[in-house]
Amino acid sequence: MKKLLLFSMISVFAFQTEIKAQKKKSKKEKTEQTSTKATPKKSKTPKYSDFVTAKTKSDEGLFKVHNTNNKFIYEIPKSHLGKEMLLVTRIKEIPAGLGGGYVNAGSKINTQVVVWEEFQNKILLKVKSYNAVANDSLPIYKSVKVNNLEPIIYAFDVKTQNTDSTAVLVDVTKFFTSDIKAISALPARYRRTYKVKRLDASRSFINSIKSYPNNIEVVQDFTFDADAPPSNSRTNTITIRVNQSMIVLPEDKMMPRLYDKRVGYFSLGNVDYSSEALKADDKRYIRRWRLEPKDIDAYNRGELVEPIKPIVYYLDPGTPDKLKKYIKQGVDDWAKVFETAGFKNAIMAKYAPTKEEDPEFSMEDVRYSSIRYVASTTRNATGPSVSDPRTGEILESDIIWYHNHLRSYRNRYLLETGAANPSARTLDTPAEEIGEMMRMVISHEVGHALGLPHNMAASYAYPVDSLRSGKFTQKMGIAATIMDYARYNYIAQPGDENIRFVRQLGPYDHYSINWGYRKIPSAKTPEQEVKTLDKWIEEKADDPIYRFGAQRFDPSAQTEGIGNDQVKASTYGVKNLKIVAKNLPKWTSDQTNNYEDLSELYGELLGVWSRYVGHVTGNIGGIYEFNKKPVQEGLVYEPVAREKQKEAMIWLQKNAFATQDWLLDPKILANIDESGYTNTMLRLQTRQLYSLLNTSKLERMIDAEIINPKSYDALSMIRDLRTGIFSEANYTKNVDVFRRNLQKSLIDRMGTLLNSKETKNSDISSILRGELQSLNFQLTIAKNRGVNRITKYHYRDCMAKIKEILDAK
């Protein structure tokens, strides 16, 4: 009974509790139902329509680019994941002074191969390196792969897929508005120089993103806080406009051509671990366009054949009408050169289509190479190109011409040819002659865009006196290639007739284009081409016209020089320059009734004189470089003959270190500046002095004695330099202010070298110490001669300087 009663009580309690719970639950369910009806539950999976709305502006191309209120989405086809693309970072617009004047708008900052890869629910943007490679069929390929892990630039969240699931959507807004070092246009050295602190996101934007069939172009406006900006210093700000080009690389790779330093080509290299040798091979490939003949059989028979895809440059619509034909000619001139390589109509320039003719045409589209005309005070032109790092294939090129560049050419035309060329003696150079200069500058830049670097040895191929011949210069020009810095014929003298004064394409251009671009039908690999390529070089090896030389320590490969004898060429050049200096006011200020042009041209005249002097200086301690393979006769490196170096020293003492009164005309100086003449002359003379007393040059001279014991040795050179510059100390002769400054500069330079760590344990310090002691003895006697007081004070000052140097620990 007690059990029954207890069970009944428990049952009643449980029943009541259940009723209460049901009432509570019913009330809760009702509330939830009411709430659900008021706010429908959202789906957790984002839809395509969440990102591409009626307000979205979409751009079709390599990837679809969607822009919704400046939020940018890439719609990446899954078929493009893993494909290799080239990411090129360029400066589109720069603040004044960035890079110290050595960086221009359009300058390329970085080029890297990237791939977009899927990982979990992210898309990774990775950099792929071709510095180390191996055939993927070999076991070592796996080792190369694991020892060259590819860095991840950025990881994007996958927002969603497109409607048919063939593409993924990622938001790139943050990527292109953040300071991502891998794609920054401010390298670390600029950040240090300008004391850059941070990117200011509030003043940084995506200017535009445009998608084309083979590339995507992003323009970014970045503003950085900087304590030492290159210009507008009070703003503590650097604003820079950056262009990011992402270009899909060809899946059918062009067969590369192996680089040979005997022929000038830009190149790219890698380390190939596929070699059977006992070490990895360093391989270099030349950079060139892909030219494939339409009719290979006709091409192999030696007929001229058009390429499947010619090289076409489009002229900037902003180019002044009066200049267009000259720019077009500068491109079209190369068509004849390509005929040497078997191609007809291989390269041409076209005028850009109007919006009506082609509304989709854009100069940013990688399918179109261009010649940009930039409204800038920069005096320059450049010929950059973008190439496939796997093969060297040039994919596109944008040549840049800066508006003020023609002024430089007008000025130098007057200064370098005015003595022998009456039409150059004016500030209003005839339009056809200005046009011819521009045409040749464009040809030079096109040469770069074709893969050709400067060939400074080409001007050394022609005898000096041949450049005074009208018949020779009209046919051969003034250098063997347009790729030399041989702009004008400054050798021709008054009275020489029918002279060509402006450079032109030459025989080396035909030779190098044939070597780099002619198809070799029997070769299926780059290695199989080498035998034929070597033969083409060796057939021309003894002719200086076909020699390639880089500007380093070789006096036969100097910038801005012409002729095969620098002493003789510079003698002609200085002789002409003296005529120009005498007539400079007559040709400038007397015509304009102001001194601005006179001041500008006088400053540039000093620069021209300094270049002529520098060509001669290069002979002293110079080493000729004749690149060759062991099957060719002769040495690769040959010191300049002792007699030639001695001749150069004598010339320098007379034409550089002696006071050049012809450069110091009071009618010019007193009308362009109130002071600074002595410092200007000292700076120019010191440039040559420092070039002679250069550690690398002196070490070369010491080493040259091993190759040729009769060479011009460092001791003889420094002694000749010292006795020439202090020649007055041997006589009772006053020293003028220019010579006093130069003599002190010589002592200072010798002291700097003597007390530097570089020369401490070499013969250089012994020679310098000995020559300073000899000079001190010489001045001890000279200071007591009957010279004027400033000269005596000067000698005593020089002796004090020497004592201080020799006493230094």
mmCIF file of all heavy atoms in Angstrom, residues 65-96:
data_model
loop_
_atom_site.group_PDB
_atom_site.id
_atom_site.type_symbol
_atom_site.label_atom_id
_atom_site.label_comp_id
_atom_site.label_asym_id
_atom_site.label_seq_id
_atom_site.Cartn_x
_atom_site.Cartn_y
_atom_site.Cartn_z
ATOM 1 N N VAL A 65 36.947 40.465 -64.481
ATOM 2 C CA VAL A 65 37.194 41.373 -63.363
ATOM 3 C C VAL A 65 35.886 42.093 -63.060
ATOM 4 O O VAL A 65 35.300 42.735 -63.929
ATOM 5 C CB VAL A 65 38.302 42.387 -63.691
ATOM 6 C CG1 VAL A 65 38.475 43.369 -62.541
ATOM 7 C CG2 VAL A 65 39.612 41.670 -63.977
ATOM 8 N N HIS A 66 35.412 41.956 -61.820
ATOM 9 C CA HIS A 66 34.160 42.571 -61.387
ATOM 10 C C HIS A 66 34.458 43.707 -60.414
ATOM 11 O O HIS A 66 35.234 43.544 -59.468
ATOM 12 C CB HIS A 66 33.266 41.535 -60.695
ATOM 13 C CG HIS A 66 33.001 40.314 -61.527
ATOM 14 N ND1 HIS A 66 32.259 40.348 -62.693
ATOM 15 C CD2 HIS A 66 33.388 39.012 -61.362
ATOM 16 C CE1 HIS A 66 32.191 39.124 -63.205
ATOM 17 N NE2 HIS A 66 32.873 38.300 -62.421
ATOM 18 N N ASN A 67 33.834 44.832 -60.645
ATOM 19 C CA ASN A 67 34.025 46.014 -59.802
ATOM 20 C C ASN A 67 32.673 46.472 -59.273
ATOM 21 O O ASN A 67 31.822 46.920 -60.040
ATOM 22 C CB ASN A 67 34.693 47.123 -60.610
ATOM 23 C CG ASN A 67 34.883 48.411 -59.804
ATOM 24 O OD1 ASN A 67 34.628 48.452 -58.605
ATOM 25 N ND2 ASN A 67 35.325 49.470 -60.470
ATOM 26 N N THR A 68 32.494 46.328 -57.966
ATOM 27 C CA THR A 68 31.272 46.796 -57.322
ATOM 28 C C THR A 68 31.663 47.832 -56.283
ATOM 29 O O THR A 68 32.226 47.503 -55.229
ATOM 30 C CB THR A 68 30.525 45.634 -56.634
ATOM 31 O OG1 THR A 68 30.335 44.576 -57.574
ATOM 32 C CG2 THR A 68 29.177 46.111 -56.110
ATOM 33 N N ASN A 69 31.402 49.099 -56.597
ATOM 34 C CA ASN A 69 31.756 50.203 -55.690
ATOM 35 C C ASN A 69 33.212 50.130 -55.243
ATOM 36 O O ASN A 69 33.536 50.227 -54.050
ATOM 37 C CB ASN A 69 30.829 50.198 -54.467
ATOM 38 C CG ASN A 69 29.383 50.431 -54.848
ATOM 39 O OD1 ASN A 69 29.098 51.200 -55.774
ATOM 40 N ND2 ASN A 69 28.468 49.760 -54.151
ATOM 41 N N ASN A 70 34.108 49.925 -56.238
ATOM 42 C CA ASN A 70 35.565 49.872 -56.013
ATOM 43 C C ASN A 70 36.009 48.681 -55.168
ATOM 44 O O ASN A 70 37.092 48.703 -54.573
ATOM 45 C CB ASN A 70 36.071 51.174 -55.396
ATOM 46 C CG ASN A 70 35.946 52.340 -56.356
ATOM 47 O OD1 ASN A 70 36.164 52.185 -57.560
ATOM 48 N ND2 ASN A 70 35.576 53.500 -55.841
ATOM 49 N N LYS A 71 35.199 47.667 -55.132
ATOM 50 C CA LYS A 71 35.605 46.384 -54.573
ATOM 51 C C LYS A 71 35.793 45.438 -55.752
ATOM 52 O O LYS A 71 34.853 45.181 -56.507
ATOM 53 C CB LYS A 71 34.537 45.850 -53.617
ATOM 54 C CG LYS A 71 34.945 44.571 -52.902
ATOM 55 C CD LYS A 71 33.886 44.140 -51.894
ATOM 56 C CE LYS A 71 34.327 42.907 -51.131
ATOM 57 N NZ LYS A 71 33.326 42.483 -50.114
ATOM 58 N N PHE A 72 37.031 44.938 -55.909
ATOM 59 C CA PHE A 72 37.398 44.220 -57.127
ATOM 60 C C PHE A 72 37.460 42.709 -56.874
ATOM 61 O O PHE A 72 38.095 42.252 -55.921
ATOM 62 C CB PHE A 72 38.741 44.714 -57.649
ATOM 63 C CG PHE A 72 38.696 46.130 -58.167
ATOM 64 C CD1 PHE A 72 38.902 47.214 -57.322
ATOM 65 C CD2 PHE A 72 38.424 46.380 -59.507
ATOM 66 C CE1 PHE A 72 38.859 48.505 -57.792
ATOM 67 C CE2 PHE A 72 38.381 47.682 -59.992
ATOM 68 C CZ PHE A 72 38.598 48.749 -59.139
ATOM 69 N N ILE A 73 36.793 41.979 -57.744
ATOM 70 C CA ILE A 73 36.746 40.520 -57.667
ATOM 71 C C ILE A 73 37.333 39.935 -58.951
ATOM 72 O O ILE A 73 36.986 40.368 -60.049
ATOM 73 C CB ILE A 73 35.291 40.011 -57.506
ATOM 74 C CG1 ILE A 73 34.665 40.563 -56.216
ATOM 75 C CG2 ILE A 73 35.243 38.483 -57.545
ATOM 76 C CD1 ILE A 73 35.194 39.952 -54.955
ATOM 77 N N TYR A 74 38.255 38.987 -58.792
ATOM 78 C CA TYR A 74 38.738 38.211 -59.939
ATOM 79 C C TYR A 74 37.913 36.928 -60.035
ATOM 80 O O TYR A 74 37.761 36.206 -59.043
ATOM 81 C CB TYR A 74 40.204 37.818 -59.753
ATOM 82 C CG TYR A 74 41.227 38.858 -60.170
ATOM 83 C CD1 TYR A 74 40.848 40.132 -60.581
ATOM 84 C CD2 TYR A 74 42.589 38.560 -60.141
ATOM 85 C CE1 TYR A 74 41.794 41.075 -60.945
ATOM 86 C CE2 TYR A 74 43.544 39.503 -60.511
ATOM 87 C CZ TYR A 74 43.140 40.758 -60.901
ATOM 88 O OH TYR A 74 44.076 41.688 -61.268
ATOM 89 N N GLU A 75 37.412 36.664 -61.217
ATOM 90 C CA GLU A 75 36.754 35.391 -61.492
ATOM 91 C C GLU A 75 37.753 34.544 -62.288
ATOM 92 O O GLU A 75 37.935 34.745 -63.494
ATOM 93 C CB GLU A 75 35.458 35.611 -62.276
ATOM 94 C CG GLU A 75 34.675 34.336 -62.544
ATOM 95 C CD GLU A 75 33.346 34.587 -63.230
ATOM 96 O OE1 GLU A 75 32.740 35.662 -62.993
ATOM 97 O OE2 GLU A 75 32.902 33.719 -64.017
ATOM 98 N N ILE A 76 38.408 33.621 -61.586
ATOM 99 C CA ILE A 76 39.528 32.884 -62.165
ATOM 100 C C ILE A 76 39.042 31.542 -62.713
ATOM 101 O O ILE A 76 38.571 30.700 -61.942
ATOM 102 C CB ILE A 76 40.629 32.639 -61.109
ATOM 103 C CG1 ILE A 76 41.046 33.959 -60.444
ATOM 104 C CG2 ILE A 76 41.818 31.947 -61.735
ATOM 105 C CD1 ILE A 76 42.016 33.783 -59.290
ATOM 106 N N PRO A 77 39.149 31.327 -64.015
ATOM 107 C CA PRO A 77 38.761 30.018 -64.560
ATOM 108 C C PRO A 77 39.621 28.915 -63.950
ATOM 109 O O PRO A 77 40.839 29.074 -63.800
ATOM 110 C CB PRO A 77 39.037 30.174 -66.063
ATOM 111 C CG PRO A 77 39.047 31.644 -66.314
ATOM 112 C CD PRO A 77 39.574 32.266 -65.055
ATOM 113 N N LYS A 78 39.006 27.817 -63.601
ATOM 114 C CA LYS A 78 39.768 26.710 -63.014
ATOM 115 C C LYS A 78 40.803 26.171 -63.998
ATOM 116 O O LYS A 78 41.839 25.634 -63.586
ATOM 117 C CB LYS A 78 38.815 25.598 -62.572
ATOM 118 C CG LYS A 78 37.941 26.001 -61.389
ATOM 119 C CD LYS A 78 37.032 24.862 -60.952
ATOM 120 C CE LYS A 78 36.195 25.285 -59.755
ATOM 121 N NZ LYS A 78 35.268 24.199 -59.323
ATOM 122 N N SER A 79 40.529 26.331 -65.285
ATOM 123 C CA SER A 79 41.485 25.880 -66.300
ATOM 124 C C SER A 79 42.771 26.690 -66.264
ATOM 125 O O SER A 79 43.799 26.278 -66.808
ATOM 126 C CB SER A 79 40.857 25.975 -67.693
ATOM 127 O OG SER A 79 40.493 27.316 -67.983
ATOM 128 N N HIS A 80 42.725 27.886 -65.627
ATOM 129 C CA HIS A 80 43.914 28.741 -65.539
ATOM 130 C C HIS A 80 44.705 28.514 -64.248
ATOM 131 O O HIS A 80 45.786 29.085 -64.091
ATOM 132 C CB HIS A 80 43.521 30.216 -65.642
ATOM 133 C CG HIS A 80 43.244 30.662 -67.045
ATOM 134 N ND1 HIS A 80 42.483 29.927 -67.914
ATOM 135 C CD2 HIS A 80 43.624 31.768 -67.738
ATOM 136 C CE1 HIS A 80 42.394 30.558 -69.072
ATOM 137 N NE2 HIS A 80 43.089 31.677 -68.994
ATOM 138 N N LEU A 81 44.156 27.740 -63.334
ATOM 139 C CA LEU A 81 44.896 27.447 -62.111
ATOM 140 C C LEU A 81 46.103 26.585 -62.452
ATOM 141 O O LEU A 81 45.986 25.593 -63.162
ATOM 142 C CB LEU A 81 43.997 26.740 -61.099
ATOM 143 C CG LEU A 81 42.815 27.561 -60.578
ATOM 144 C CD1 LEU A 81 41.936 26.704 -59.673
ATOM 145 C CD2 LEU A 81 43.290 28.807 -59.830
ATOM 146 N N GLY A 82 47.261 26.980 -61.953
ATOM 147 C CA GLY A 82 48.492 26.250 -62.251
ATOM 148 C C GLY A 82 49.201 26.728 -63.510
ATOM 149 O O GLY A 82 50.335 26.323 -63.763
ATOM 150 N N LYS A 83 48.562 27.593 -64.297
ATOM 151 C CA LYS A 83 49.211 28.110 -65.502
ATOM 152 C C LYS A 83 50.244 29.162 -65.123
ATOM 153 O O LYS A 83 50.018 29.991 -64.239
ATOM 154 C CB LYS A 83 48.182 28.724 -66.457
ATOM 155 C CG LYS A 83 47.465 27.727 -67.330
ATOM 156 C CD LYS A 83 46.683 28.434 -68.424
ATOM 157 C CE LYS A 83 46.055 27.438 -69.389
ATOM 158 N NZ LYS A 83 45.301 28.116 -70.466
ATOM 159 N N GLU A 84 51.366 29.159 -65.835
ATOM 160 C CA GLU A 84 52.428 30.121 -65.547
ATOM 161 C C GLU A 84 52.121 31.466 -66.198
ATOM 162 O O GLU A 84 51.765 31.531 -67.376
ATOM 163 C CB GLU A 84 53.763 29.572 -66.050
ATOM 164 C CG GLU A 84 54.177 28.311 -65.307
ATOM 165 C CD GLU A 84 55.454 27.711 -65.860
ATOM 166 O OE1 GLU A 84 55.786 27.994 -67.016
ATOM 167 O OE2 GLU A 84 56.111 26.960 -65.127
ATOM 168 N N MET A 85 52.262 32.503 -65.399
ATOM 169 C CA MET A 85 52.005 33.863 -65.872
ATOM 170 C C MET A 85 53.159 34.761 -65.453
ATOM 171 O O MET A 85 53.844 34.485 -64.462
ATOM 172 C CB MET A 85 50.685 34.387 -65.305
ATOM 173 C CG MET A 85 49.493 33.516 -65.671
ATOM 174 S SD MET A 85 47.941 34.162 -65.049
ATOM 175 C CE MET A 85 46.837 32.823 -65.540
ATOM 176 N N LEU A 86 53.355 35.812 -66.194
ATOM 177 C CA LEU A 86 54.431 36.758 -65.903
ATOM 178 C C LEU A 86 53.826 37.982 -65.236
ATOM 179 O O LEU A 86 52.901 38.598 -65.785
ATOM 180 C CB LEU A 86 55.149 37.152 -67.193
ATOM 181 C CG LEU A 86 56.559 37.723 -67.043
ATOM 182 C CD1 LEU A 86 57.490 36.669 -66.467
ATOM 183 C CD2 LEU A 86 57.084 38.201 -68.388
ATOM 184 N N LEU A 87 54.332 38.313 -64.061
ATOM 185 C CA LEU A 87 53.875 39.498 -63.349
ATOM 186 C C LEU A 87 54.972 40.557 -63.425
ATOM 187 O O LEU A 87 56.077 40.355 -62.920
ATOM 188 C CB LEU A 87 53.566 39.142 -61.891
ATOM 189 C CG LEU A 87 52.970 40.250 -61.015
ATOM 190 C CD1 LEU A 87 51.659 40.766 -61.595
ATOM 191 C CD2 LEU A 87 52.762 39.756 -59.597
ATOM 192 N N VAL A 88 54.662 41.664 -64.081
ATOM 193 C CA VAL A 88 55.641 42.726 -64.317
ATOM 194 C C VAL A 88 55.215 43.974 -63.554
ATOM 195 O O VAL A 88 54.102 44.471 -63.751
ATOM 196 C CB VAL A 88 55.771 43.047 -65.817
ATOM 197 C CG1 VAL A 88 56.844 44.103 -66.045
ATOM 198 C CG2 VAL A 88 56.081 41.791 -66.614
ATOM 199 N N THR A 89 56.087 44.464 -62.690
ATOM 200 C CA THR A 89 55.824 45.668 -61.909
ATOM 201 C C THR A 89 56.594 46.834 -62.526
ATOM 202 O O THR A 89 57.807 46.777 -62.645
ATOM 203 C CB THR A 89 56.251 45.486 -60.443
ATOM 204 O OG1 THR A 89 55.569 44.360 -59.889
ATOM 205 C CG2 THR A 89 55.939 46.726 -59.626
ATOM 206 N N ARG A 90 55.867 47.859 -62.920
ATOM 207 C CA ARG A 90 56.487 49.042 -63.525
ATOM 208 C C ARG A 90 56.056 50.293 -62.779
ATOM 209 O O ARG A 90 54.983 50.340 -62.188
ATOM 210 C CB ARG A 90 56.053 49.212 -64.994
ATOM 211 C CG ARG A 90 56.583 48.204 -65.979
ATOM 212 C CD ARG A 90 56.293 48.734 -67.383
ATOM 213 N NE ARG A 90 56.587 47.781 -68.429
ATOM 214 C CZ ARG A 90 55.709 46.936 -68.955
ATOM 215 N NH1 ARG A 90 54.468 46.921 -68.503
ATOM 216 N NH2 ARG A 90 56.045 46.111 -69.917
ATOM 217 N N ILE A 91 56.910 51.297 -62.851
ATOM 218 C CA ILE A 91 56.512 52.622 -62.371
ATOM 219 C C ILE A 91 55.814 53.332 -63.525
ATOM 220 O O ILE A 91 56.395 53.522 -64.596
ATOM 221 C CB ILE A 91 57.723 53.440 -61.903
ATOM 222 C CG1 ILE A 91 58.373 52.773 -60.692
ATOM 223 C CG2 ILE A 91 57.301 54.853 -61.549
ATOM 224 C CD1 ILE A 91 59.618 53.469 -60.203
ATOM 225 N N LYS A 92 54.578 53.700 -63.312
ATOM 226 C CA LYS A 92 53.822 54.383 -64.370
ATOM 227 C C LYS A 92 54.024 55.890 -64.318
ATOM 228 O O LYS A 92 54.220 56.542 -65.327
ATOM 229 C CB LYS A 92 52.332 54.045 -64.241
ATOM 230 C CG LYS A 92 51.477 54.519 -65.404
ATOM 231 C CD LYS A 92 50.045 54.007 -65.263
ATOM 232 C CE LYS A 92 49.160 54.494 -66.394
ATOM 233 N NZ LYS A 92 49.516 53.866 -67.682
ATOM 234 N N GLU A 93 53.977 56.436 -63.089
ATOM 235 C CA GLU A 93 54.251 57.861 -62.888
ATOM 236 C C GLU A 93 55.021 58.002 -61.587
ATOM 237 O O GLU A 93 54.762 57.289 -60.613
ATOM 238 C CB GLU A 93 52.956 58.673 -62.834
ATOM 239 C CG GLU A 93 52.158 58.643 -64.132
ATOM 240 C CD GLU A 93 50.888 59.461 -64.062
ATOM 241 O OE1 GLU A 93 50.860 60.455 -63.306
ATOM 242 O OE2 GLU A 93 49.923 59.098 -64.751
ATOM 243 N N ILE A 94 55.994 58.918 -61.571
ATOM 244 C CA ILE A 94 56.877 59.034 -60.402
ATOM 245 C C ILE A 94 56.971 60.484 -59.936
ATOM 246 O O ILE A 94 56.755 61.411 -60.715
ATOM 247 C CB ILE A 94 58.301 58.517 -60.713
ATOM 248 C CG1 ILE A 94 58.953 59.364 -61.815
ATOM 249 C CG2 ILE A 94 58.287 57.067 -61.084
ATOM 250 C CD1 ILE A 94 60.414 59.030 -62.037
ATOM 251 N N PRO A 95 57.301 60.665 -58.669
ATOM 252 C CA PRO A 95 57.595 62.027 -58.201
ATOM 253 C C PRO A 95 58.957 62.479 -58.709
ATOM 254 O O PRO A 95 59.817 61.648 -59.005
ATOM 255 C CB PRO A 95 57.593 61.864 -56.679
ATOM 256 C CG PRO A 95 57.954 60.442 -56.439
ATOM 257 C CD PRO A 95 57.375 59.668 -57.591
ATOM 258 N N ALA A 96 59.141 63.770 -58.805
ATOM 259 C CA ALA A 96 60.414 64.310 -59.283
ATOM 260 C C ALA A 96 61.548 63.851 -58.383
ATOM 261 O O ALA A 96 61.431 63.831 -57.159
ATOM 262 C CB ALA A 96 60.347 65.838 -59.313
#
